[in-house]
Amino acid sequence: MYMRKIMQPEWICKWPKSDMFNQTKFAVLAIFAAAACCCPVAAKGPAAAPAWMAANVESLVELYQTLHQAPELSHQEEQTAARLAKELKVAGYTVTTGVGGHGVVAVMKNGPGKTLLLRTDLDALPVVEETGLPYASKVRTKDERGATVGVMHACGHDLHMTNIVGVARYLASHRDEWSGTLVVIGQPAEERGQGARGMLEDGLFSRFPRPDYAVALHVGADLAVGKLEYRPGYSAANVDSVDITIKGRGGHGSAPDTTIDPIVIAARLVLDLQTIVSREIKPIDPAVITVGSIHGGSKHNIIGDDCKLQLTVRSYAPEVREKLLSAIRRKTLAAAASAGAPEPVIELSEGTPSLFNDPELTERVATTLRRIAGDENFAESKLSMGGEDFSEYGLAGVPICMFRLGTVDQQRLDAFKEKDVPPPLHSSLYYPNAEASLRVSVPAMVAVAIDLLPPRDSAASGE
């Protein structure tokens, strides 16, 4: 009873400190009191992560805001990569930079066990930010065409990076809670669908420990803070960018009979392309063909020499992907031939394979996430036709799992329901509640990591 009483902080504050004896006694008891107060939240394993976050969230939010204010486009992430590398080095990891471009690879070996890869992306988008946040990006830069563009982390990669730093810090400072090898990577050029492939081609799985699992998260703009979602199997689409140049024969608009009008051919093609999904693909197979850009001509009374179209093509199954691209080529050639035009130029770029979450790994991750979030905050996500080159690591033979993180306050989502849809990812108006999101994401990913890299005693007992 006496010891319980002296462990109360308010009682210690009343302790007389008039002489050295009492001061020493006060210091010793203060240490015991601090230990007693910490015991309930100092549980080993994932249970300790929320308390750790409470003590560290301020520094992580500062990091998030710093990254948000300094976005860099795909293949230009030099300073972003340097900052991530610095954070990981300070945490105690062996860090290599310049992997597959501006890629960062950090390794921590912590005894026997499996190898887990945790991935974040680095790049931002050519979007002028309109959130009005005090830490909003004001960055302007040149894109690869030489045009001046605004730059914004409109897809949450700044939150992804901050989360991975938090997870890396925790695991580095709690090495008794896990055993194995942790590989943390900062991947460039995700928005271009090129970064993962670039890192793999630069020896990611040969120069560094080959992972037994790879896990990542992605923010959700339509999901409330506190919510987590998962999906085994397909969860993101094949993405292909198709550039088509229709060639014609230019001339005066008053004498179209002397020309071959590429704009008319392009107009016919746009309509023909819509029949591919509706008439050539099974209704149960998801597929999208969108003509996102069309440019031709220069003046009212001039028929130009060419017309350019840009398409995005989405699917899941490899055979559907192949069929879509083949049909696009066939219809493009037919449209040109029907007008007696020269053969058009058809170019594929920025292809990203569909993301297939390994079912066994995903169910294991889901079990952990459900325990962290609770049944009421955890659900299976819907299929998405968005793209994500995290899929490349799965195609390289590693079981992968990407889960979704809610980032928007429920009150904001409710307000949008009354008027409009919430700003989606890639919108100039999207922003997360960073602090609340990190308080969920860091403990969640820490728990997943510890489950996949259990400490020696647990691993030995088969737990």
Side-chain angles (χ1 to χ4, degrees):
M1 184 70 181
Y2 175 75
M3 285 301 294
R4 188 178 301 124
K5 181 178 179 181
I6 66 172
M7 292 307 178
Q8 300 304 314
E10 65 273 15
W11 193 90
I12 292 176
C13 290
K14 299 176 183 177
W15 189 276
K17 299 182 266 301
S18 57
D19 56 60
M20 183 62 69
F21 175 78
N22 281 332
Q23 288 178 22
T24 303
K25 193 181 300 183
F26 171 82
V28 172
L29 289 173
I31 293 171
F32 277 108
C37 293
C38 292
C39 282
V41 296
K44 294 182 66 174
W52 182 90
M53 271 301 297
N56 290 272
V57 70
E58 185 176 346
S59 69
L60 289 174
V61 171
E62 289 176 0
L63 174 62
Y64 164 78
Q65 293 180 358
T66 298
L67 293 169
H68 186 85
Q69 291 179 88
E72 295 176 297
L73 295 177
S74 303
H75 300 300
Q76 299 179 19
E77 314 95 330
E78 182 177 359
Q79 296 305 313
T80 304
R83 180 57 188 269
L84 180 64
K86 177 182 176 181
E87 293 289 340
L88 295 171
K89 284 179 182 177
V90 169
Y93 292 75
T94 301
V95 179
T96 304
T97 58
V99 181
H102 293 301
V104 177
V105 179
V107 178
M108 179 169 287
K109 296 182 178 180
N110 188 38
K114 301 286 189 178
T115 297
L116 170 64
L117 182 147
L118 299 178
R119 174 266 211 173
T120 181
D121 26 23
L122 306 176
D123 52 336
L125 290 156
V127 173
V128 176
E129 182 164 354
E130 298 178 314
T131 62
L133 294 168
Y135 52 87
S137 168
K138 296 179 175 60
V139 173
R140 301 292 185 272
T141 191
K142 299 284 187 181
D143 66 11
E144 61 182 7
R145 299 169 300 168
T148 300
V149 296
V151 189
M152 175 189 175
H153 272 299
C155 200
H157 296 185
D158 46 357
L159 193 66
H160 296 174
M161 285 185 278
T162 308
N163 172 76
I164 214 80
V165 168
V167 174
R169 287 178 181 175
Y170 181 91
L171 293 173
S173 60
H174 294 74
R175 299 189 199 191
D176 60 324
E177 296 179 10
W178 60 281
S179 183
T181 299
L182 186 64
V183 180
V184 177
I185 67 169
Q187 179 204 299
E190 186 277 331
E191 296 294 354
R192 299 291 298 275
Q194 299 167 345
R197 190 177 307 138
M199 293 189 77
L200 288 167
E201 291 175 352
D202 199 16
L204 177 62
F205 288 172
S206 57
R207 295 167 55 192
F208 307 97
R210 182 180 178 85
D212 297 288
Y213 323 100
V215 175
L217 63 76
H218 204 296
V219 299
D222 57 346
L223 195 61
V225 171
K227 306 286 187 181
L228 295 171
E229 289 187 343
Y230 80 110
R231 186 174 189 87
Y234 287 120
S235 65
N238 294 307
V239 179
D240 292 289
S241 296
V242 183
D243 290 84
I244 299 173
T245 302
I246 301 293
K247 297 181 179 181
R249 184 171 66 239
H252 202 285
S254 65
D257 57 303
T258 65
T259 71
I260 297 176
D261 192 339
I263 293 179
V264 171
I265 299 172
R268 179 186 300 123
L269 176 60
V270 169
L271 295 178
D272 286 347
L273 291 174
Q274 305 312 305
T275 66
I276 297 174
V277 173
S278 66
R279 291 296 177 267
E280 298 189 36
I281 304 299
K282 293 178 182 179
I284 59 174
D285 289 331
V288 173
I289 297 176
T290 295
V291 180
S293 170
I294 179 168
H295 293 276
S298 59
K299 199 175 184 297
H300 304 74
N301 60 350
I302 297 175
I303 294 175
D305 289 320
D306 58 46
C307 184
K308 299 180 184 296
L309 298 87
Q310 292 182 308
L311 286 62
T312 187
V313 184
R314 311 285 172 124
S315 59
Y316 284 116
E319 58 271 19
V320 174
R321 183 187 198 184
E322 184 178 346
K323 191 169 186 178
L324 289 171
L325 297 176
S326 176
I328 289 169
R329 178 173 180 80
R330 169 168 41 86
K331 288 186 176 291
T332 302
L333 294 174
S338 70
E343 184 172 305
V345 176
I346 305 168
E347 300 173 301
L348 299 179
S349 62
E350 300 184 8
T352 301
S354 56
L355 192 154
F356 187 85
N357 283 325
D358 179 81
E360 183 178 350
L361 173 61
T362 302
E363 290 299 338
R364 183 172 176 179
V365 169
T367 299
T368 301
L369 296 178
R370 187 185 301 276
R371 186 173 69 246
I372 296 297
D375 290 343
E376 69 280 7
N377 293 315
F378 188 68
E380 185 169 324
S381 60
K382 298 176 182 178
L383 285 167
S384 167
M385 297 306 285
E388 176 47 80
D389 74 349
F390 186 61
S391 56
E392 295 278 6
Y393 306 115
L395 292 177
V398 173
I400 64 171
C401 174
M402 173 175 279
F403 61 93
R404 293 184 76 224
L405 170 73
T407 61
V408 182
D409 293 330
Q410 186 64 58
Q411 187 175 0
R412 283 179 62 209
L413 291 176
D414 292 341
F416 284 121
K417 286 180 182 177
E418 297 175 2
K419 300 181 297 183
D420 203 349
V421 297
L425 296 179
H426 291 211
S427 164
S428 62
L429 298 173
Y430 166 72
Y431 68 90
N433 181 329
E435 179 175 340
S437 299
L438 289 166
R439 286 182 182 272
V440 176
S441 67
V442 173
M445 189 168 274
V446 163
V448 169
I450 291 175
D451 174 67
L452 296 174
L453 301 176
R456 297 174 185 83
D457 292 344
S458 297
S461 64
E463 293 181 7

